């Protein structure tokens, strides 16, 4: 069996006993507690073939361990999580994205913040692989979502991090087990995120966020844009939201019904971003005096020395607020506060095989 | 070289990842976030000589050098 968790891949030989292999991997700290598919040489080779790359190709060097994310090691994690070979390009793009310095993977993986890398998939691949954009309700439709999400976190744990030690988040975060969504491009009134970022509609992309657990936002009664947006603004601009403390990149996951209500009143996506920037604001008087030390230097300069009526925005600029349509039926949306010092990154998914 | 006690294990493992398995580390109390300026000053005053010592001459082979909490408390009491 080829085991590729250490910086230098190594081959270990174990008895052909599923339970014993799982116990061994668990004891080594290589799993997430659930049973894994043993990454045999044959399975890893098939997974590598799905990437269209060579086993020894280095996709990125990942912080904080400075782990060499070779195709072979990524493939081993993919096998363990139960992926199919055609899922590999999503994982490769995600690894390339988190390795960009502006994402600050070091901070996301070592901070006490309850944050985890969230993958957001756009473009045709999400439909082809059936990655959940909110429309998939039946468990038998969740194969790609479950296994890619799990594989990526195994990559974070085993290649980027150090099992059991570099994950310091205060309460833990279910997203450290599995964290992937897709945009519901079919039911969005606007162009999808990757097209906003300059990619072609036919491209597929992964965008990574240093994402905290989402907050449910309910508004069942409003029939106009301002009504829905008022609930959203009030849910985002809170003293406990780190994104009110400086230059962050908050993520709003708008349910399609909320998006439709907003769009039919003539709001473009840029209008929604502008509206949130203007109105999702926290009065300075609501910030405990002692916590003013948490504000960024820029926020202190522009807001904290003015007067108690100053209103803190949730991002530096309207375009820094990410608006994505995600979900199925229902009058619900979600707000995801993100870790300060981590900028989202979008990478194209290259399908070579 | 300098961490609060809650982060000793990640710091040690990162040092190992960098090929510096025997890097000596000065360890200060955790948490830092809710301490007063006087407490931070006291921690810095105790940690700085330790850090300087480790940077400028051979250490005694230990990996962790916790600051002296008794001296820390005495310093705070003035």
């Amino acid at each position: 069996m080829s085991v590729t968790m250490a910086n230098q891949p190594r081959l270990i030989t174990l008895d052909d006993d599923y339970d014993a292999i799982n116990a061994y991997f668990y004891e080594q700290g290589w799993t997430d507690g659930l049973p894994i598919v043993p990454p045999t040489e044959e399975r890893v080779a098939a997974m590598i073939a799905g990437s269209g790359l060579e086993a020894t190709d280095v996709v990125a060097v990942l912080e904080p361990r400075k782990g060499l994310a070779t195709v072979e090691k990524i493939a081993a994690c993919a096998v363990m999580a139960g992926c199919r070979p055609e899922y590999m390009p999503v994982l490769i793009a995600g690894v390339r994205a988190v390795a960009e310095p502006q994402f600050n993977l070091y901070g996301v993986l070592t901070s006490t913040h309850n944050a985890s890398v969230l993958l957001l998939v756009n473009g045709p691949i999400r439909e082809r692989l059936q990655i959940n954009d909110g429309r998939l309700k039946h468990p038998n439709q969740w194969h790609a979502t479950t296994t890619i999400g799990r594989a990526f976190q195994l990559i974070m744990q085993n290649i980027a991090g150090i099992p059991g030690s570099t994950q310091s988040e205060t309460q833990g975060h279910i997203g450290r087990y599995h964290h992937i969504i897709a945009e519901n491009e079919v039911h969005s009134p606007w162009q999808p995120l990757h097209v906003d970022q300059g990619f072609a509609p036919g491209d597929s992309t992964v965008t990574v966020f240093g994402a905290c657990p989402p907050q449910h936002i309910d508004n069942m009664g409003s029939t106009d844009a301002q009504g829905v947006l008022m609930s959203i603004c009030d849910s985002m601009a809170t003293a406990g939201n780190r994104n009110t403390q400086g230059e962050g990149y908050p993520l709003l996951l708008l349910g399609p019904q909320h998006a439709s209500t907003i769009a039919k009143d003539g709001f473009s996506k840029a209008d929604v971003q502008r509206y949130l920037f203007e109105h999702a604001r926290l009065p300075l008087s609501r910030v405990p005096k002692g916590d003013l030390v948490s504000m960024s230097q820029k926020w202190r300069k522009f807001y904290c020395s003015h007067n108690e009526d100053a209103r803190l925005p949730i991002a530096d600029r309207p375009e820094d607020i990410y608006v994505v349509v995600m979900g199925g039926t229902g009058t619900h949306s979600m707000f995801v506060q993100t870790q300060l010092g981590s900028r989202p990154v979008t990478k194209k998914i290259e399908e070579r095989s | 070289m300098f961490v609060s006690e809650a982060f000793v294990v990640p710091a040690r493992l990162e040092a190992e990842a960098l090929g510096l398995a025997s890097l000596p580390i000065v360890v200060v109390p955790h948490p830092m976030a809710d301490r007063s300026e006087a407490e931070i000053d006291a921690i810095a005053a105790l940690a700085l000589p330790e850090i300087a010592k480790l940077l400028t001459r051979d250490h005694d082979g230990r990996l962790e050098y916790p600051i002296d909490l008794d001296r820390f408390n005495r310093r705070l009491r003035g």
Side-chain angles (χ1 to χ4, degrees), chain A residues 64-66 106 112 162 165, chain B residues 7 9-10 13-14 17-18:
Chain A
R65 190 187 198 179
K66 286 79 177 157
Y106 191 106
T112 55
I162 298 157
S165 63
Chain B
F7 294 100
V9 173
L13 290 165
E14 188 182 351
L18 289 166

Side-chain angles (χ1 to χ4, degrees), chain A residues 16 19 36 50 57 67 92 126 136 168 176 222 233 254 260 321:
Chain A
D16 188 15
D19 292 338
I36 51 105
D57 286 351
I92 299 282
R126 85 199 193 292
L136 304 177
S168 307
R176 290 291 176 107
S222 292
C233 288
L254 267 182
S260 170
I321 302 168

Side-chain angles (χ1 to χ4, degrees), chain A residues 104-153:
Chain A
N104 185 16
L105 183 63
Y106 191 106
V108 173
L109 290 189
T110 61
S111 169
T112 55
H113 263 76
N114 291 307
S116 158
V117 178
L118 169 65
L119 305 181
L120 169 70
V121 179
N122 274 104
I125 200 167
R126 85 199 193 292
E127 199 78 56
R128 197 168 69 251
L129 299 185
Q130 287 202 307
I131 298 171
N132 183 37
D133 60 14
R135 290 177 296 149
L136 304 177
K137 305 299 184 198
H138 198 279
N140 72 6
Q141 297 174 307
W142 277 69
H143 191 274
T145 308
T146 306
T147 59
I148 296 172
R150 185 187 183 200
F152 198 82
Q153 296 305 324

Side-chain angles (χ1 to χ4, degrees), chain B residues 6-67:
Chain B
F7 294 100
V8 168
V9 173
R12 175 59 50 210
L13 290 165
E14 188 182 351
E16 288 171 6
L18 289 166
L20 301 168
S22 59
L23 181 77
I25 296 173
V26 174
V27 182
V28 300
H30 189 88
M32 298 286 275
D34 63 351
R35 291 193 186 278
S36 69
E37 210 168 314
E39 287 176 296
I40 298 292
D41 283 347
I43 290 171
L46 290 169
L48 194 60
E50 292 293 315
I51 294 169
K53 198 162 62 185
L54 297 181
L55 283 170
T56 54
R57 67 170 187 245
D58 289 342
H59 54 88
D60 62 15
R62 284 181 296 148
L63 294 178
E64 273 93 49
Y65 293 80
I67 68 166

Side-chain angles (χ1 to χ4, degrees), chain A:
Chain A
M1 175 185 306
S2 175
V3 176
T4 55
M5 293 303 108
N7 235 2
Q8 294 302 319
R10 63 194 166 95
L11 192 69
I12 58 171
T13 302
L14 299 171
D15 291 340
D16 188 15
D17 178 330
Y18 181 76
D19 292 338
I21 291 169
N22 260 284
Y24 180 82
F25 272 60
Y26 181 72
E27 286 160 11
Q28 299 300 309
W30 293 337
T31 80
D32 51 19
L34 283 177
I36 51 105
V37 177
T40 59
E41 288 180 279
E42 296 75 18
R43 290 190 182 114
V44 172
M47 198 63 70
I48 291 167
S51 73
L53 299 168
E54 297 297 320
T56 54
D57 286 351
V58 176
V59 177
V61 178
L62 297 178
E63 297 283 0
R65 190 187 198 179
K66 286 79 177 157
L68 285 183
T70 62
V71 172
E72 183 182 36
K73 284 195 274 185
I74 294 169
C77 290
V79 169
M80 288 164 63
C83 287
R84 295 174 184 146
E86 60 264 35
Y87 303 166
M88 275 293 280
V90 181
L91 294 170
I92 299 282
V95 168
R96 288 177 57 224
V98 297
E100 290 292 342
Q102 64 267 36
F103 183 70
N104 185 16
L105 183 63
Y106 191 106
V108 173
L109 290 189
T110 61
S111 169
T112 55
H113 263 76
N114 291 307
S116 158
V117 178
L118 169 65
L119 305 181
L120 169 70
V121 179
N122 274 104
I125 200 167
R126 85 199 193 292
E127 199 78 56
R128 197 168 69 251
L129 299 185
Q130 287 202 307
I131 298 171
N132 183 37
D133 60 14
R135 290 177 296 149
L136 304 177
K137 305 299 184 198
H138 198 279
N140 72 6
Q141 297 174 307
W142 277 69
H143 191 274
T145 308
T146 306
T147 59
I148 296 172
R150 185 187 183 200
F152 198 82
Q153 296 305 324
L154 290 174
I155 292 166
M156 294 296 94
Q157 172 183 310
N158 291 328
I159 304 175
I162 298 157
S165 63
T166 45
Q167 299 181 335
S168 307
E169 67 273 20
T170 300
Q171 273 84 24
H173 181 353
I174 189 69
R176 290 291 176 107
Y177 159 66
H178 169 279
H179 218 194
I180 182 171
I181 57 174
E183 182 161 19
N184 186 344
E185 299 178 18
V186 175
H187 294 127
S188 172
W190 306 301
Q191 68 180 18
L193 177 70
H194 68 304
V195 180
D196 295 341
Q197 305 281 330
F199 294 92
D203 288 340
S204 293
T205 62
V206 168
T207 303
V208 291
F209 297 86
C212 297
Q215 173 187 347
H216 181 93
I217 303 174
D218 190 278
N219 182 321
M220 198 165 62
S222 292
T223 56
D224 61 353
Q226 281 84 356
V228 172
L229 286 168
M230 184 175 171
S231 291
I232 291 169
C233 288
D234 209 46
S235 301
M236 294 174 95
T238 60
N241 172 10
R242 196 74 204 269
N243 292 135
T244 60
Q245 297 178 345
E247 303 86 319
Y249 303 87
L251 169 63
L252 175 64
L253 299 174
L254 267 182
Q257 287 182 221
H258 279 170
S260 170
T261 302
I262 293 167
K264 76 177 172 50
D265 276 353
F267 277 70
S268 65
K269 193 191 293 186
D271 289 339
V272 174
Q273 292 170 305
R274 169 79 185 274
Y275 197 97
L276 296 173
F277 182 72
E278 299 286 354
H279 298 294
R281 293 204 174 204
L282 176 69
L284 184 61
S285 58
R286 300 293 298 272
V287 180
K289 292 288 176 288
D291 205 31
L292 287 172
V293 295
S294 300
M295 300 291 160
S296 73
Q297 288 190 355
K298 190 169 187 178
W299 257 229
R300 290 188 208 192
K301 185 164 79 175
F302 284 111
Y303 304 105
C304 297
S305 304
H306 189 62
N307 61 39
E308 289 286 292
D309 297 327
R311 296 167 71 242
L312 309 170
I314 54 170
D316 194 24
R317 305 172 303 170
E319 56 267 38
D320 291 344
I321 302 168
Y322 281 70
V323 176
V324 170
V325 176
M326 194 264 163
T329 304
T331 49
H332 313 294
S333 293
M334 292 201 291
F335 166 54
V336 180
Q337 63 168 290
T338 55
Q339 188 163 339
L340 289 190
S342 173
R343 182 174 193 144
V345 174
T346 302
K347 291 285 187 188
K348 184 177 175 182
I349 298 170
E350 307 279 1
E351 296 182 85
R352 298 178 177 85
S353 58

